[in-house]
């Protein structure tokens, strides 16, 4: 017999950080095509956008491409293998999928072998669009994973010029935003001759000294440096590997340890900040135990490099592992990093059968934490959640049929949005072809498919507004006049944001495209929103969508307590329920108005968030 539970209102805090609710196991690759990327370069006003959405099983790419302002019809389009600035051979012919200036296709099997996927993830594939006037290609774009950038530095005295004799070492991670507006610096040092007196980013190649460009001294706390900096002065030198970090002490005023900043070998990089408070039972220890970790997953998805440095721990680490579990949840060991222990430095590589497809998926989803054990704290003294730098991707297919009411037009387009792990900015690209006239306005609106909603960001200034084919490429950041905030990330996550492009003939919008967390090739990826990968067995929330106030929640019976929280799409907490899970089913009766809601069910160590639509 089903139990009916009465409503219990709760004022719950709802703060999104980089949790698995925001990060999925998918990856979005994109290509912005221009004539300047052709080899040799082509002078043309044409531009194009290609999105390549990689599913969670990493065996299928959903492709959506639009090219505009070409010199003539597309005569051919292909995926080639080759690095930027070089020409390479065709690996996939997309010509059979041409429909005007638009191409949609699904690549799998022989069109996405493991070797080909590796080339995609390394950025060694490009799109090339051919026309009669430019038979070798009019526009081209390198296909790359939408990601922020990870630099890391291993510090020691041997890199000082002249070298310094010291046992001290350091490890730093430097997360550079795709917008190039911010760099997050996390550095831990161990074994210095005394307190840090200063720290800076300098410009010079390895083996040479250079001037200070950024002062990191304000970020010093004990043997840790943690701060956000403006990277403007170092961007060019970063690309050439000519930036180093220098740590000064009283005994070595010119620098005791130094390390060159290096870009990761592939785009699948991760990092973690470790402290005692992240342990599920916070640890009290003398001093200030702290740590930093950096991980790089190879483009072949079969090798994981790890580098962890801890400092001021109660004793030499006795074990270090990657566990399954989100923030606040303990979980089992998945990967053993213990063989890499060398004092407070843990460094090594795991390869082969241990790096399963499930491990890859869970790492991308933010479902792992690194745990450092000591004799004094056998269950863990330091812990840090592991997050990727790859951005969460959303794709949109623009057409008149999605307008409300629908518009009859031959115009088409496609767009993408990607959001950084800190949910502080969105990268957008959108192109439209065959409009009835110039773009008079373009916006991001908030509403579910089939409904109209208000503007949340104005894209109009990024369009030229001078032709029937047009595009916009830019960023929406937390520094804009209309700031990008966490609520906007939640709106995207609920598939509740759409592109709308207006013309004089269609002032309400000529073409529109819902930005979905996934791809039109596999829309099932957008049905649920998992907050963790510990999926509740047998979970079913129904009816969904619903016109009734009654919501049925079924699951496999358990001895655990079950808690249910309901939030609106803006992230505002509305209500919560708590009860025994022994019955295996609940019926709740929240008085909800029409809209999209996030229902989060937690039972034991398992949590799942489901998108619920009330009609």
């Amino acid at each position: 017999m089903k139990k009916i539970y009465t409503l219990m209102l709760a004022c719950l805090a709802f703060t999104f950080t980089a949790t698995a609710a925001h990060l999925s196991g998918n990856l979005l690759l994109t290509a912005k095509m221009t004539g300047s990327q052709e080899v040799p370069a082509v002078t043309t006003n044409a531009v194009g956008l290609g999105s390549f959405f990689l599913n969670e099983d990493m065996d299928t790419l959903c492709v959506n491409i639009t090219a505009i302002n070409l010199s003539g019809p597309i005569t051919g389009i292909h995926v080639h293998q080759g690095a930027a600035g070089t020409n390479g051979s065709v690996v996939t012919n997309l010509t059979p999928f041409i429909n005007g200036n638009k191409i949609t296709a699904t690549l799998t099997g022989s069109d996405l072998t493991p070797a080909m996927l590796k080339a995609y993830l390394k950025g060694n594939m490009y799109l090339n669009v051919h026309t009669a006037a430019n038979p070798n290609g009019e526009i081209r774009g390198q296909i790359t994973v939408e990601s922020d950038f990870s630099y890391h530095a291993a510090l020691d005295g041997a890199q000082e010029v002249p070298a310094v004799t010291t046992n001290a070492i350091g490890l730093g991670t430097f997360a550079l935003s795709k917008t190039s507006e911010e760099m997050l610096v996390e550095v831990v040092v161990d074994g210095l001759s005394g307190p840090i007196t200063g720290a800076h980013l300098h410009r010079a190649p390895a083996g040479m000294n250079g001037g200070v460009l950024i002062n990191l001294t304000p970020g010093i706390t004990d043997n840790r440096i943690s701060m956000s900096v403006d990277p403007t002065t170092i961007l060019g030198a970063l690309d050439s590997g000519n930036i180093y970090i220098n740590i000064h002490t009283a005994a070595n005023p010119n620098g005791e340890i130094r390390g060159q900043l290096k870009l990761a070998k592939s785009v699948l990089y991760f990092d973690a900040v470790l402290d005692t408070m992240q342990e599920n039972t916070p640890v009290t220890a003398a001093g200030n135990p702290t740590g930093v970790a950096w991980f790089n997953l190879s483009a072949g998805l079969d090798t994981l490099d790890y580098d962890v440095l801890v400092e001021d721990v109660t004793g030499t680490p006795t074990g270090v592992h990657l566990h399954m579990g989100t923030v606040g949840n303990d979980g089992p060991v998945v990967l053993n990093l213990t063989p890499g222990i060398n004092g407070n430095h843990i460094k090594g590589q795991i390869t082969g059968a241990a790096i399963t497809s499930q491990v890859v998926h869970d790492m991308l989803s933010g479902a792992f934490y690194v745990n450092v054990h000591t004799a004094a704290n056998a269950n863990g003294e330091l812990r840090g959640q592991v997050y990727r730098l790859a951005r969460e991707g959303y794709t949109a297919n623009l057409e008149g049929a999605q307008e409300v009411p629908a518009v009859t037009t031959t115009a088409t387009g496609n767009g993408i949005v990607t959001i950084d792990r800190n949910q502080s900015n969105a990268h957008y690209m959108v192109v439209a072809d065959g409009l009835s006239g110039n773009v008079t306005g373009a916006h991001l609106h908030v509403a579910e498919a089939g409904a109209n909603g208000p503007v949340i960001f104005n894209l109009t200034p990024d369009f030229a507004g001078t032709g029937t084919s047009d595009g916009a490429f830019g960023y929406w950041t937390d520094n804009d006049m209309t700031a990008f905030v966490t609520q906007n990330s939640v709106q995207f996550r609920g598939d509740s944001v759409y592109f709308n492009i207006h013309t004089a003939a269609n002032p309400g919008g000529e073409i529109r495209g819902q930005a979905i967390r996934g791809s039109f090739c596999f829309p099932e990826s957008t049905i649920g929103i998992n907050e963790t990968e510990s999926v509740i067995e047998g979970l079913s929330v129904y009816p969904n969508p619903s016109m009734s106030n009654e919501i049925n929640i079924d699951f496999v019976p358990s001895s655990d307590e079950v808690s249910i929280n309901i939030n609106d799409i803006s992230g505002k907490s509305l209500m919560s329920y708590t009860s025994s899970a022994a019955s295996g089913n609940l019926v709740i009766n929240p008085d909800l108005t029409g809209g999209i809601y996030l229902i989060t069910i937690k039972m034991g160590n398992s949590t799942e968030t489901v998108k619920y639509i009330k009609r």
Side-chain angles (χ1 to χ4, degrees):
M1 177 178 178
K2 294 185 177 180
K3 298 180 181 180
I4 300 179
Y5 290 86
T6 58
L7 175 68
M8 178 174 67
L9 295 177
C11 297
L12 302 177
F14 190 79
T15 302
F16 277 97
T17 54
T19 68
H22 168 52
L23 301 174
S24 70
N26 300 302
L27 289 171
L28 179 61
L29 297 83
T30 62
K32 180 184 178 182
M33 296 176 285
T34 60
S36 62
Q37 294 179 71
E38 291 286 352
V39 182
V42 171
T43 301
T44 177
N45 292 323
V47 69
L49 171 62
S51 68
F52 295 73
F53 190 87
L54 182 62
N55 68 340
E56 292 189 354
D57 292 333
M58 295 199 166
D59 61 5
T60 305
L61 281 171
C62 182
V63 181
N64 195 2
I65 304 166
T66 302
I68 61 174
N69 296 323
L70 293 164
S71 60
I74 300 174
T75 56
I77 179 170
H78 312 90
V79 175
H80 297 245
Q81 184 163 350
T86 65
N87 289 323
S89 59
V90 172
V91 294
T92 302
N93 180 17
L94 298 175
T95 308
F97 305 102
I98 295 173
N99 182 11
N101 286 329
K102 191 172 180 66
I103 298 94
T104 56
T106 301
L107 304 183
T108 191
S110 61
D111 285 318
L112 191 63
T113 64
M116 293 169 69
L117 177 59
K118 182 177 181 179
Y120 274 108
L121 295 178
K122 291 181 71 173
N124 287 337
M125 294 287 202
Y126 66 91
L127 266 179
N128 200 15
V129 176
H130 308 262
T131 59
N134 294 279
N136 293 324
E138 182 164 336
I139 55 174
R140 162 181 166 163
Q142 211 70 21
I143 304 168
T144 58
V145 174
E146 282 281 316
S147 181
D148 293 325
F149 306 102
S150 174
Y151 294 80
H152 73 289
L155 292 76
D156 56 40
Q159 295 180 70
E160 292 287 351
V161 182
V164 172
T165 301
T166 176
N167 291 324
I169 58 173
L171 176 65
T173 64
F174 306 82
L176 176 65
S177 70
K178 190 173 178 68
T179 65
S180 297
E181 292 180 343
E182 182 181 36
M183 175 179 274
L184 300 178
V185 179
E186 297 288 347
V187 182
V188 168
V189 298
D190 183 54
L192 289 172
S193 59
I196 303 173
T197 57
H200 311 88
L201 293 180
H202 298 246
R203 178 173 185 164
M208 296 180 64
N209 291 324
V212 171
L213 294 183
I214 295 178
N215 181 18
L216 302 179
T217 307
I220 298 171
T221 301
D222 297 327
N223 286 317
R224 181 185 200 92
I225 302 166
S226 180
M227 64 186 300
S228 171
V229 301
D230 180 349
T232 305
T233 58
I234 65 173
L235 292 176
L238 265 177
D239 290 340
S240 55
N242 290 335
I243 296 295
Y244 66 92
I245 180 172
N246 201 16
I247 307 292
H248 308 263
T249 59
N252 294 278
N254 292 325
E256 183 165 335
I257 57 175
R258 160 181 167 166
Q260 214 75 15
L261 272 62
K262 298 179 180 179
L263 183 64
K265 291 184 294 185
S266 78
V267 294
L268 298 182
Y269 24 65
F270 309 77
D271 57 32
V273 175
L274 288 73
D275 56 48
T276 59
M277 296 305 295
Q278 291 182 69
E279 293 288 351
N280 215 15
T281 301
V283 171
T284 301
N288 184 26
T290 188
V292 66
W294 178 87
F295 303 87
N296 184 78
L297 181 63
S298 69
L301 306 178
D302 57 4
T303 302
L304 181 71
D305 291 299
Y306 61 88
D307 201 347
V308 185
L309 182 64
V310 298
E311 196 274 333
D312 211 12
V313 287
T314 57
T316 301
T318 56
V320 183
H321 311 93
L322 281 179
H323 296 247
M324 164 73 80
T326 51
V327 175
N329 293 308
D330 290 333
V333 171
V334 179
L335 294 175
N336 182 17
L337 312 186
T338 306
I341 295 176
N342 181 13
N344 286 342
H345 192 198
I346 305 96
K347 184 177 181 179
Q349 185 179 88
I350 299 174
T351 191
I355 309 299
T356 64
S357 59
Q358 189 65 47
V359 166
V360 173
H361 174 274
D362 292 339
M363 282 202 73
L364 290 173
S365 303
F368 282 174
Y369 63 92
V370 59
N371 203 16
V372 178
H373 309 262
T374 60
N377 293 283
N379 292 326
E381 184 166 321
L382 289 172
R383 168 175 168 165
Q385 206 70 23
V386 178
Y387 294 123
R388 74 191 205 193
L389 273 291
R391 299 166 69 91
E392 188 67 8
Y394 301 82
T395 63
N397 196 42
L398 281 71
E399 58 191 356
Q402 292 185 60
E403 292 287 354
V404 181
V407 171
T408 301
T409 177
T410 57
T412 59
N414 71 297
I416 67 97
V417 172
T418 62
I419 298 173
D420 72 308
R421 65 179 181 180
N422 295 322
Q423 301 175 93
S424 65
N425 65 79
H427 178 217
Y428 57 84
M429 298 192 286
V430 58
V431 293
D433 182 57
L435 296 166
S436 60
N438 297 345
V439 173
T440 56
H443 312 89
L444 290 173
H445 298 247
V446 60
E448 63 182 278
N452 291 323
V455 171
I456 56 173
F457 190 69
N458 183 17
L459 303 174
T460 310
D462 290 314
F463 282 86
T466 57
T468 58
S469 295
D470 208 342
F473 303 85
Y475 294 92
W476 178 13
T477 77
D478 53 4
N479 293 321
D480 284 318
M481 184 174 296
T482 302
F484 185 89
V485 296
T486 304
Q487 176 182 340
N488 300 126
S489 177
V490 176
Q491 291 164 341
F492 275 102
R493 193 181 320 157
D495 294 345
S496 297
V497 178
Y498 62 92
F499 290 94
N500 201 15
I501 297 180
H502 310 261
T503 59
N506 294 281
E510 182 163 336
I511 57 173
R512 161 179 168 165
Q514 204 76 15
I516 61 173
R517 191 186 193 188
S519 166
F520 63 90
C521 295
F522 8 88
E524 67 274 8
S525 64
T526 68
I527 292 174
I529 305 171
N530 292 337
E531 187 168 334
T532 78
E533 294 309 313
S534 301
V535 178
I536 296 172
E537 186 176 359
L539 179 66
S540 177
V541 178
Y542 63 94
N544 187 13
S546 175
M547 297 183 67
S548 167
N549 282 331
E550 184 175 286
I551 303 174
N552 297 269
I553 302 175
D554 290 350
F555 44 83
V556 173
S558 168
S559 60
D560 293 310
E561 182 178 77
V562 60
S563 62
I564 299 169
N565 296 315
I566 301 180
N567 297 78
D568 68 17
I569 198 63
S570 73
K572 180 182 178 182
S573 178
L574 301 178
M575 54 198 72
S576 69
Y577 306 79
T578 302
S579 178
S580 166
S583 67
N585 47 63
L586 300 175
V587 179
I588 59 177
N589 285 275
D591 186 15
L592 301 175
T593 59
I596 295 179
Y597 299 88
L598 303 179
I599 301 179
T600 300
I601 303 100
K602 183 173 183 179
M603 191 165 60
N605 290 327
S606 298
T607 305
E608 188 164 352
T609 300
V610 176
K611 182 179 69 177
Y612 173 76
I613 300 175
K614 174 68 181 297
R615 296 299 190 192

